[in-house]
Amino acid sequence: MSQLKFDVAGIGNAIVDVIADASDEFLIANGIQKGGMTLIDEARADELYAKMGPAVEVSGGSCANTIAGIASLGGKGLYFGKVRDDQLGDVFRHDLKAIGVHYDTPAATDGPSTARCYILVTPDAQRSMNTFLGAAGGVGPEDIDEDQVKASAITYMEGYLWDPPRAKDAFVKASEIAHKADRIVSLTLSDSFCVDRYRDEFRKLAKEEVDLLFANEAEIMSLYEVDTFDAALQAVRKDCKFAALTRSEAGSVIVADGDVHVVDAAKVDKVVDSTGAGDLYAAGFLFGLARGFDPVRCGQLGSMAAAESISHYGPRPITSLKKLADDRDLI
């Protein structure tokens, strides 16, 4: 068995987030689906950018945010994701490497520009995402380093990878490598609209391939096409050995070997921006799992990290998660 060098290897869409405040009226006027993620082309991306108010640009992408959270906890993260050799691609690469994440996926030298996601945040802190995948959709099996996957305790992948076909192939390759090396494979469902697109495939993955499934309340209900969270919980207990289900202010519910654990949400003075809450919950949970913590402690770390994320604009921590966890005697 290869020696472990990384806590988590993440595979995701490498995206730069462009975040701005918006009203519900703005969403309606521009045909934007509130609270979800919509794939757009470059022309639509340029159109939205011209209409948006003042914006903040930060490196993002669901899985990359999770890996950034693991680094903030003091963990060792590895990332696979594709950018173009352009200015935004350089920014994305710099931001990950500057926080200690191992990231050496070669940049594309031709084709679409680096991916970007236009995130409109309404006064209720809901985020509506409009994503131009660009170069991110070019990540493929050739970008997955077998030795690096084997050297990672957990391989974590985002459901959004199911949109670009070659990224799906990268997902499958990494999963096969990880399982052959007796490592953990984890998947986040990413978005209820993503689940709608690939429900049958995701259910098969949850039942047969994935060791740890992440989902929020809407996503898990969509996966099993049920009207209540309790019904979805019973369904996932039958399919998954290990699942972490987030419920916003109601905390999270963890399924582990048939047992169910409820973890309270961490307190936050004011919810500013919910962008990245699920990503950072996964960061805390995965960090704990890689360190051998029990499911409840993993969930507590996840709740703590999510609370930090929603207390400010942007999906990545601005306060050391390691310090916060130390202060709470969680690590």
Side-chain angles (χ1 to χ4, degrees):
M1 183 179 290
S2 302
Q3 183 178 0
L4 287 174
K5 297 179 181 178
F6 304 101
D7 294 303
V8 181
I11 310 171
N13 290 321
I15 298 173
V16 176
D17 291 337
V18 183
I19 307 170
D21 288 329
S23 65
D24 288 321
E25 290 75 18
F26 180 89
L27 300 187
I28 294 169
N30 289 280
I32 296 169
Q33 175 68 53
K34 183 173 181 176
M37 192 282 287
T38 302
L39 293 174
I40 59 175
D41 59 20
E42 195 156 13
R44 172 66 166 164
D46 292 341
E47 175 192 350
L48 279 180
Y49 187 59
K51 293 180 177 179
M52 290 170 62
V56 176
E57 295 182 355
V58 293
S59 295
S62 174
C63 180
N65 294 335
T66 297
I67 301 300
I70 287 166
S72 183
L73 281 158
K76 296 180 180 179
L78 163 70
Y79 184 72
F80 299 105
K82 204 78 168 178
V83 296
R84 177 68 198 271
D85 59 346
D86 54 19
Q87 183 177 359
L88 286 181
D90 291 342
V91 168
F92 184 92
R93 186 176 302 277
H94 171 269
D95 286 353
L96 273 189
K97 298 186 94 169
I99 58 176
V101 174
H102 187 92
Y103 176 43
D104 58 9
T105 306
T109 56
D110 56 20
S113 57
T114 294
R116 46 205 183 269
C117 180
Y118 298 95
I119 302 175
L120 287 309
V121 183
T122 41
D124 58 1
Q126 283 291 307
R127 77 282 186 275
S128 304
M129 300 180 290
N130 304 268
T131 304
F132 167 59
L133 279 178
V139 66
E142 70 279 4
D143 295 310
I144 304 301
D145 186 298
E146 182 173 353
D147 290 336
Q148 290 180 343
V149 173
K150 288 179 178 178
S152 304
I154 303 168
T155 295
Y156 174 74
M157 298 171 274
E158 61 183 60
Y160 289 134
L161 286 174
W162 236 243
D163 283 311
R166 297 189 71 252
K168 183 189 298 189
D169 294 338
F171 180 122
V172 172
K173 177 182 176 180
S175 177
E176 290 175 349
I177 293 169
H179 276 145
K180 285 180 181 178
D182 199 26
R183 308 303 190 208
I184 295 170
V185 172
S186 181
L187 168 71
T188 176
L189 293 182
S190 295
D191 185 283
S192 57
F193 298 100
C194 187
V195 175
D196 289 341
R197 294 193 291 275
Y198 306 108
R199 181 175 291 106
D200 291 343
E201 292 176 81
F202 282 172
R203 287 180 69 166
K204 188 173 187 295
L205 282 171
K207 193 170 185 177
E208 300 177 6
E209 298 292 334
V210 173
D211 303 306
L212 168 59
L213 181 70
F214 286 96
N216 65 25
E217 189 166 359
E219 292 159 5
I220 202 65
M221 288 169 60
S222 175
L223 183 67
Y224 291 105
E225 297 180 280
V226 294
D227 296 327
T228 67
F229 176 76
D230 286 343
L233 175 61
Q234 296 310 314
V236 80
R237 286 180 72 186
K238 295 177 182 177
D239 282 355
C240 297
K241 181 178 179 181
F242 209 174
L245 312 175
T246 56
R247 307 188 72 191
S248 300
E249 67 273 8
S252 60
V253 176
I254 301 161
V255 175
D257 292 319
D259 293 331
V260 175
H261 308 275
V262 178
V263 176
D264 291 337
K267 293 182 180 179
V268 59
D269 292 334
K270 180 182 179 182
V271 177
V272 175
D273 174 16
S274 61
T275 307
D279 303 336
L280 270 294
Y281 179 91
F285 199 101
L286 290 168
F287 175 84
L289 186 62
R291 299 304 169 94
F293 297 165
D294 65 75
V296 171
R297 193 172 173 191
C298 291
Q300 290 170 337
L301 278 166
S303 294
M304 178 210 73
E308 194 283 337
S309 171
I310 63 178
S311 68
H312 56 79
Y313 277 114
R316 297 188 181 178
I318 61 174
T319 300
S320 167
L321 295 181
K322 184 178 186 303
K323 184 178 185 306
L324 291 177
D326 282 337
D327 291 344
R328 291 162 174 76
D329 293 323
L330 290 174
I331 59 175

